[in-house]
């Protein structure tokens, strides 16, 4: 995996920010830039979150998670990660300390992606049930939408 810079207005490429394989980075499931100026990349093959300087691409550090396929920054500026391997929605400090498990899906649930809505709720694609699941900050899950047969939510 590599991270390229792109002009947000013209979509013109501006060069490589982070080179492929940098510090063990393999397959990015999701990435976000936090207010601290760091780019956080959840790598679901390496089971880590990598931190890079968002301006220079310089490596900062990494910490282990269980197959991060979704990563958002919550209202408290904490990292919330959807773990594909553990099927858990978890909140971490920026140093990688697990602070809370918000929700645990049943075993063998195939979850992908993560969106944090303006109302504070999380939305996760569930390939097992072909649904988009809504999870409140208190950890209450409900079905937000049911997808048609043959759908492959990612």
């Amino acid at each position: 995996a590599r991270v390229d810079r792109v002009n947000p207005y013209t979509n013109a490429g501006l060069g490589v920010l982070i080179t492929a394989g940098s510090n063990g980075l393999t397959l990015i499931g999701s990435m976000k830039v936090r207010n601290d100026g760091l780019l956080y990349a959840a790598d679901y093959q390496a089971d880590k979150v990598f931190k890079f300087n968002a301006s220079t691409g310089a490596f900062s550090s990494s910490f282990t998670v269980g197959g991060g396929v979704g990563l958002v920054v919550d209202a408290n500026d904490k990292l919330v990660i959807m773990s594909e391997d553990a099927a858990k929605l978890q909140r971490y400090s920026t140093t990688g300390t697990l602070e809370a498990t918000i929700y645990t899906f049943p075993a063998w649930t195939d979850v992908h992606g993560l969106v944090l809505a303006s109302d504070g709720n999380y939305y996760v694609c569930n390939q097992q049930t072909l649904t988009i699941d809504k999870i409140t900050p208190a950890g209450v899950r409900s079905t937000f939408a049911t997808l048609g047969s043959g759908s492959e939510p990612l």
Side-chain angles (χ1 to χ4, degrees), residues 82 87-90 101-106 135 139-141:
M82 184 67 242
K88 292 181 180 181
L89 183 63
Q90 298 176 308
T101 296
I102 299 167
Y103 185 78
T104 301
F105 285 86
I135 302 170
V140 177
R141 189 202 68 78

Side-chain angles (χ1 to χ4, degrees), residues 31-124:
M31 61 185 176
K32 297 288 180 229
V33 177
R34 270 191 64 236
N35 293 333
D36 60 7
L38 293 177
L39 182 148
Y40 292 77
D43 185 322
Y44 62 91
Q45 187 173 35
D47 291 342
K48 291 184 177 184
V49 171
F50 292 84
K51 298 190 293 187
F52 296 91
N53 181 296
S55 297
T56 67
F59 176 74
S60 175
S61 62
S62 65
F63 58 89
T64 301
V65 297
V69 294
L71 178 138
V72 297
V73 178
D74 72 9
N76 297 314
D77 217 24
K78 301 289 185 170
L79 302 173
V80 178
I81 299 169
M82 184 67 242
S83 168
E84 179 182 37
D85 294 348
K88 292 181 180 181
L89 183 63
Q90 298 176 308
R91 185 175 46 254
Y92 288 84
S93 71
T94 58
T95 60
T97 301
L98 175 63
E99 294 184 347
T101 296
I102 299 167
Y103 185 78
T104 301
F105 285 86
W108 305 106
T109 302
D110 192 7
V111 290
H112 292 273
L114 176 63
V115 172
L116 174 60
S118 60
D119 64 3
N121 292 310
Y122 303 97
Y123 295 85
V124 178

